[in-house]
Amino acid sequence: TFDWEQRRGTVPVNVSFIPKGHFKRARDEMKGAFESRLCVSDLVAVAGEGERLAGAYVPSGKVGIATVCSLVVNGALLKAGIPMDSRFGGLLQMRDGKPFRFVELIQYSGCSLDPSAIFITGRMTSVAKVVKRGNGKVLANFREIPAICRPVADEAFAGLQESGLGGLLVMGDISQPVCEMPVEMNKIGIILLGGLNPVAAVVEAGIEIDNSPMSGVIDYENLVSFSTL
């Protein structure tokens, strides 16, 4: 229900459970991804064992952290009257800090599991390398919107960005490919960064994490900047 004009409402989040003894190290691993904006937002929520986070209880011996999911964009655009077609989640290759092409993808319509969780579990990401060298693979999502909606979409993305949300990486031209991905006629291709990129960096460092992508919603007012943790 997030309203970027009023800056209030609920936003969709991914919830991850990190072993309590590894949280400080995990925080350090996530820091680079948040500072490099390889995420939907640097706003997070944290809860200790036994507490509730986005409707879920944090297990014993764990710390829960909620990261904003890219579905916040779908919600904001729908509220603005823009239909969005979520086509797939994938691994986006970065070169010199810029998006190059998708090297792996999973169609949302053909899979009951979350693509980001699959790529993280398979240790297929290299977010830390992108942070340090600008080259590697990050989690990203591919969407399409009707070309006629471009002006309204620009306004919505600007509003989300002012609210510290969004994750927009690329917005293409009408009917033109984006990062080598074909776009339907009279549509515009959009690439959004995955909200779990900071968590992927932690798994790359060898810390086991339990992830629940798109697992719930949190009031925008209850989110804090990652830098304050």
Side-chain angles (χ1 to χ4, degrees):
T1 62
F2 181 70
D3 186 328
W4 55 264
E5 293 180 316
Q6 301 294 326
R7 293 198 182 183
R8 63 186 180 192
T10 56
V11 297
V13 294
N14 314 297
V15 175
S16 303
F17 299 120
I18 304 171
K20 191 175 180 180
H22 294 291
F23 183 72
K24 184 178 183 299
R25 182 179 162 217
R27 183 193 61 193
D28 293 340
E29 295 293 342
M30 287 188 279
K31 182 179 179 181
F34 279 111
E35 291 181 344
S36 300
R37 298 293 180 181
L38 294 175
C39 54
V40 176
S41 172
D42 71 340
L43 298 176
V44 299
V46 176
E49 53 186 344
E51 297 179 336
R52 291 181 69 88
L53 185 62
Y57 281 105
V58 180
S60 177
K62 304 280 188 177
V63 175
I65 183 168
T67 51
V68 179
C69 178
S70 60
L71 282 177
V72 69
V73 174
N74 294 56
L77 294 191
L78 282 174
K79 287 175 72 68
I82 302 174
M84 176 175 275
D85 181 15
S86 298
R87 290 183 52 189
F88 63 80
L91 285 178
L92 180 68
Q93 183 179 359
M94 304 287 285
R95 282 189 177 179
D96 299 323
K98 298 179 180 180
F100 178 55
R101 64 179 177 181
F102 280 96
V103 294
E104 302 287 350
L105 59 89
I106 298 177
Q107 297 281 353
Y108 288 119
S109 60
C111 184
S112 61
L113 301 175
D114 182 81
S116 293
I118 295 174
F119 294 130
I120 292 174
T121 303
R123 298 181 183 273
M124 300 171 69
T125 64
S126 49
V127 176
K129 289 184 179 180
V130 176
V131 171
K132 295 176 181 177
R133 307 188 186 102
N135 300 310
K137 302 171 186 175
V138 300
L139 301 168
N141 309 290
F142 190 78
R143 317 270 211 257
E144 287 182 345
I145 62 171
I148 196 172
C149 298
R150 176 68 182 259
V152 182
D154 286 337
E155 182 181 357
F157 276 116
L160 285 170
Q161 186 173 12
E162 290 175 2
S163 304
L165 305 170
L168 176 65
L169 189 60
V170 179
M171 184 182 294
D173 296 320
I174 300 174
S175 307
Q176 295 300 306
V178 178
C179 290
E180 301 187 3
M181 293 307 304
V183 175
E184 291 188 16
M185 188 67 66
N186 296 321
K187 295 273 186 85
I188 290 175
I190 294 174
I191 297 178
L192 304 175
L193 285 163
L196 284 172
N197 274 317
V199 175
V202 178
V203 176
E204 291 167 19
I207 301 174
E208 295 297 328
I209 295 181
D210 297 323
N211 291 310
S212 297
M214 302 180 290
S215 57
V217 295
I218 288 181
D219 283 328
Y220 175 77
E221 296 176 350
N222 293 333
L223 296 173
V224 299
S225 173
F226 177 82
S227 63
T228 66
L229 297 185

